[in-house]
Amino acid sequence: MKLAIVYTSITGNTEELAEVLSGCFREQGMKTDCYPLENFSLSSISDYDSLVIGTYTWGDGDVPDELLHLQQELLRCPQLVTGIFGTGDRFYPKFCGAVDELQEIFLDAVPLKIELSPQSIDMSHIENFVGQVLGT
Ligand SMILES: Cc1cc2nc3c(=O)[nH]c(=O)nc-3n(C[C@H](O)[C@H](O)[C@H](O)COP(=O)(O)O)c2cc1C
């Protein structure tokens, strides 16, 4: 089994969460590759058994534009998307709205929403997410 984390991040919060998650998946014995979106080649999708997508939220609860192409491609194999994580800010009415939007498309994916950058208080949620994605 091989898992890819593919994320987009502007100010680094989602990147930080992606790195924490990578470490957790690896600790659980999962072969895990972690890519910023711009380094992920769509042709490598077939190398993976499972894909976990990470995103910030933009605008009024929106998925960032740069993710839309990957989102479209994954509609061919929606079962591959096992998790969707995001960082957001509770200041906005649609907290982590991008995670909600993606989850409406990838119905079986486990969601994780974290406020800004991951803190130690978030670790139980993060570990739960990892466990659910791995089905343990
Ligand atoms: C213009 C703008 C719009 C945003 N809209 C939302 C939003 O609707 N919901 C939300 O939860 N966060 C929103 N955010 C907050 C970001 O999603 C949040 O800061 C996130 O952690 C940034 O991730 P990054 O550091 O990976 O880029 C917005 C931020 C900006 C600058």
Side-chain angles (χ1 to χ4, degrees):
M1 290 286 282
K2 210 172 158 198
L3 179 146
I5 295 175
V6 183
Y7 68 89
T8 183
S9 177
I10 294 181
T11 60
N13 295 334
T14 314
E15 177 172 43
E16 216 179 296
L17 181 54
E19 281 163 5
V20 172
L21 284 166
S22 273
C24 292
F25 280 116
R26 287 181 189 134
E27 262 174 35
Q28 294 302 312
M30 179 60 107
K31 279 185 203 150
T32 305
D33 294 331
C34 185
Y35 300 94
L37 181 65
E38 62 273 20
N39 292 352
F40 182 69
S41 160
L42 290 175
S43 60
S44 67
I45 286 179
S46 55
D47 296 347
Y48 295 96
D49 306 290
S50 180
L51 228 80
V52 173
I53 302 174
T55 183
Y56 60 94
T57 292
W58 196 240
D60 179 25
D62 301 330
V63 176
D65 283 351
E66 69 271 19
L67 257 186
L68 297 179
H69 187 52
L70 176 66
Q71 177 185 318
Q72 198 62 30
E73 283 296 313
L74 290 173
L75 289 178
R76 298 166 197 249
C77 46
Q79 76 291 343
L80 214 58
V81 183
T82 52
I84 298 165
F85 64 93
T87 68
D89 190 336
R90 290 190 190 277
F91 168 82
Y92 293 91
K94 295 181 185 166
F95 173 61
C96 287
V99 173
D100 294 329
E101 268 193 35
L102 290 172
Q103 217 201 347
E104 279 174 21
I105 298 167
F106 303 106
L107 295 171
D108 295 335
V110 180
L112 173 69
K113 300 177 180 182
I114 296 292
E115 177 139 41
L116 300 174
S117 63
Q119 307 294 313
S120 46
I121 196 173
D122 299 313
M123 278 316 292
S124 60
H125 284 123
I126 290 172
E127 283 161 6
N128 254 331
F129 172 80
V130 168
Q132 285 187 60
V133 168
L134 296 178
T136 55

